[in-house]
Every structure is written in structure tokens, then in C-alpha cells.
Amino acid sequence: MKKFIIKLVAFIVAITVIILIVNSVYIKLDKSNPDYINKFEDIPDKIQICNFGSSHGLYGYNYEDIEDKYKCFNFGLVSQTLSYDYRLFQYYGDHIEEGSVVFITISYFSLFGKDEVNEDDFESKNKRYYTILPPSLIKEYNFKTDLLVRRLPSLGVDTIVLIKTLLGDSTGRNFEEWQQTAMDIDVDKDAQAAYVRHIEKNKYNEGGHRIVNQEEIDALYALIEACKEKGAIPVLITTPYLSEYVEEIKENAPHFYDDFYAIVNRIVKDTGVDYYDYAFDERFTDAYAWFMNSDHLNRDGARKFVNILMQEIIYEKGLDKLI
């Protein structure tokens, strides 16, 4: 019996050592995280201009023309909610300077719909925050998920993916799609699909009424207040869209804009922040070369957009003197 226990312990120790070695090698070789997740590994101190938001924030701001003068950072992530915008600010707010300008992106889906924890893809989307936020700020925190995502990621991937990674066949995902232009796609079809994702899916209750998401609205209020307490200047932004996208919404959900602007205007009145709506800006609505699809700017468009924000908001309002 004693020999059996010794062998069992030795076997367990050997397996544990192998797992730890494989995991260590996997972490070093794995490049599967997209660039927009990896950016959180190197957040600059004393950020002067930054933005939060969903994919409209992620793809909508390109700071390359001003990075030689200002420290900038893009906190946006695909499908990111306002409540996670606020959580990111809570954790990384010390990197943001007093007097800085914080662009808070308000997408059309930001204020409506059921809570994201009840959406089908919540768990898969939520995993990314385990690598960039502490447990206390992660929704529906789960220790097992944390263990597999943050501590032992090699145990949480498909065997084929694991083998390919260990063999050096792990390619990272980057902003390749950010280079494309809307001239290369069927914009009408894309606008229809975006309409369903943003305006219809998970946005209505059983009675057929649009769901106002109070959790996200409260998070926006909290984010605005946190900026003010920090001495930063929050500015609400709706990024530019192509005409096909806004027309699709007007045609299929004619009351949406009344609902959307009623909430935004109330927030502006309550908080005193400025709101800039570029959704119908004629400089962009038909500028297909500046978009990657019907509602997301591409790299050139985002660069143009930031230059406009600098001129029309930061310089004209004299905010550059506060940075």
C-alpha cells in the first residue's frame, strides 16, 4: 500500500510538472490574443487624451497624428458596454491625467437591451476581462474561468490549437480589417445586418417594447462623475456612420431616434457634459473610403475623425490649454 501511495504521489507530481512546463511554453508562444487586448499590457502613464467605447470606439479613434504631442490611449473593445467602460476607468484611471479629455463613445445599442450577463455570448466575451481586470471588477466572476484564462490557459484551449501553438504555429489577430474600405463590400447588406445586431437583437421585451437598460445608463452617469472627480473632462461622442446604416434604422425603427436622443439629452442636462453627434455628419455619410463597413471607420477614417475632434472640440473649446 505504501509503495502504491508513493507511486501515485510521484505520478501526480510528474503530471503537474508536465502541465506547468507545457503551460509555460504555451504562454510564451501563444499569439492568439488580438492586438486590442494586448494593448492593456502597456498602458502609458499620464494619459492626456483617451476614449472608451464599443467597437465604434475601438475603430473610431486613430491618434497617430497627435501622438508626438499628446499621450493617448484607446480603451475601446468590440461589443464593450458602458458598464465595462466604467470598470476599466475604475482600474486604469490612475493612468489618466488631471485635465485630460476623455471621449465616451455612445453607440446606438449602448443604452438599450437586456443586461449583457443574460446574452448568449456573454461568457465567451467576458473571458477577455480576466486578463485585464481584477476579480472584483469582472462580472459574474468565476474562479475556474480565471484559472483557465489567466493561470493555466493551455488547459482551456482545444487540443489541436494547443499542439499548433507548441509547434510555433500561432498567429496573432490584429487590425487587418481596419485597413479595408466599405467600397469593397455590399454596404446595404452590411447595414441590414448591423441594424439587426444593434437595434433588434436582445433589445425588446416579451411585450414587444424596447428595453431601456438602466444598468448601462447608471454606469454612464458613474463614468462621467468619475472623470470629473479625477479632474478629467468627459465628452460624449457618437461616431460617424454611413448613410445606409442610419437610413436602415429610420426605415425599420422610426421611433428609435426619439428614444435614443431623449435619454442622451437627459444625461447631458443632468451632468452638464457636452455631446457631439457625428452620426449624420455629411463629411462622412458617403465617404466609403473612410469606412471598413457601414458603421465602423477604417484606419484612414479614424485618423480623419480624430483630427476633426482635435479641431472642433479640443482646440476650439480651449481644452488643449487644460491638458
Side-chain angles (χ1 to χ4, degrees):
M1 182 68 177
K2 185 177 180 180
K3 289 184 178 180
F4 172 76
I5 294 176
I6 292 175
K7 288 182 179 179
L8 179 61
V9 171
F11 175 77
I12 293 174
V13 170
I15 292 296
T16 301
V17 170
I18 291 173
I19 290 175
L20 292 176
I21 292 174
V22 169
N23 190 70
S24 178
V25 174
Y26 174 82
I27 290 174
K28 290 180 180 179
L29 296 177
D30 178 41
K31 299 177 183 177
S32 60
N33 272 342
D35 291 343
Y36 51 78
I37 296 294
N38 292 333
K39 67 184 178 183
F40 287 95
E41 296 176 1
D42 190 27
I43 297 181
D45 288 324
K46 300 183 178 180
I47 295 171
Q48 298 167 294
I49 300 174
C50 65
N51 70 274
F52 290 82
S54 63
S55 56
H56 296 125
L58 172 65
Y59 295 110
Y61 303 80
N62 180 352
Y63 298 111
E64 61 185 286
D65 283 344
I66 63 170
E67 286 177 329
D68 60 338
K69 187 175 181 181
Y70 300 102
K71 283 194 175 182
C72 309
F73 193 77
N74 188 326
F75 286 95
L77 289 174
V78 174
S79 299
Q80 184 157 278
T81 58
L82 289 165
S83 51
Y84 260 122
D85 283 339
Y86 176 49
R87 289 163 190 250
L88 288 174
F89 187 93
Q90 287 179 286
Y91 189 58
Y92 293 106
D94 287 344
H95 291 262
I96 298 174
E97 279 275 84
E98 181 178 351
S100 62
V101 176
V102 179
F103 295 119
I104 302 173
T105 309
I106 312 297
S107 301
Y108 285 161
F109 56 83
S110 297
L111 309 175
F112 302 103
K114 62 184 181 181
D115 292 341
E116 66 173 335
V117 297
N118 297 317
E119 295 179 357
D120 294 338
D121 62 347
F122 170 72
E123 288 188 12
S124 60
K125 185 178 68 172
N126 199 50
K127 285 182 179 179
R128 62 192 176 185
Y129 294 105
Y130 283 81
T131 63
I132 59 180
L133 286 174
S136 61
L137 292 176
I138 297 173
K139 294 185 180 182
E140 304 290 307
Y141 174 78
N142 181 279
F143 176 75
K144 180 181 178 181
T145 301
D146 194 340
L147 184 66
L148 293 176
V149 173
R150 199 196 310 256
R151 312 300 178 188
L152 295 169
S154 63
L155 298 181
V157 299
D158 182 81
T159 303
I160 295 177
V161 173
L162 175 61
I163 292 173
K164 285 185 175 182
T165 301
L166 296 177
L167 292 176
D169 186 20
S170 177
T171 56
R173 289 174 287 165
N174 52 37
F175 282 124
E176 288 182 3
E177 70 270 29
W178 205 30
Q179 313 296 331
Q180 72 184 28
T181 72
M183 295 183 291
D184 301 323
I185 65 170
D186 185 334
V187 177
D188 286 323
K189 184 176 180 180
D190 182 81
Q192 292 168 7
Y195 165 79
V196 172
R197 290 196 310 273
H198 300 160
I199 310 300
E200 286 193 347
K201 187 178 180 181
N202 299 319
K203 299 299 186 293
Y204 293 91
N205 59 26
E206 293 180 355
H209 300 290
R210 188 177 307 283
I211 302 171
V212 174
N213 193 317
Q214 194 59 48
E215 177 189 358
E216 299 304 324
I217 294 172
D218 290 344
L220 177 54
Y221 275 104
L223 177 54
I224 292 170
E225 184 59 29
C227 288
K228 291 180 178 180
E229 290 178 357
K230 180 72 179 178
I233 303 166
V235 179
L236 306 186
I237 298 285
T238 295
T239 56
Y241 304 132
L242 284 176
S243 58
E244 286 83 352
Y245 177 65
V246 295
E247 290 302 323
E248 185 73 20
I249 297 171
K250 286 181 179 178
E251 181 177 346
N252 293 284
H255 300 297
F256 171 81
Y257 284 108
D258 291 337
D259 297 337
F260 177 78
Y261 289 117
I263 296 174
V264 172
N265 290 337
R266 184 176 76 244
I267 293 170
V268 168
K269 181 179 179 180
D270 290 344
T271 62
V273 299
D274 289 327
Y275 171 60
Y276 293 85
D277 184 8
Y278 289 91
F280 303 92
D281 193 303
E282 294 183 353
R283 291 169 292 187
F284 289 93
T285 51
D286 296 310
Y288 299 98
W290 288 348
F291 284 80
M292 53 187 278
N293 53 33
S294 63
D295 61 305
H296 294 93
L297 294 166
N298 62 19
R299 184 169 186 161
D300 290 338
R303 185 176 181 177
K304 177 68 174 179
F305 183 52
V306 165
N307 288 334
I308 288 175
L309 294 180
M310 293 299 296
Q311 184 61 45
E312 297 183 351
I313 299 177
I314 292 182
Y315 295 144
E316 287 191 9
K317 298 291 185 180
L319 301 183
D320 56 312
K321 297 177 175 62
L322 303 176
I323 295 176

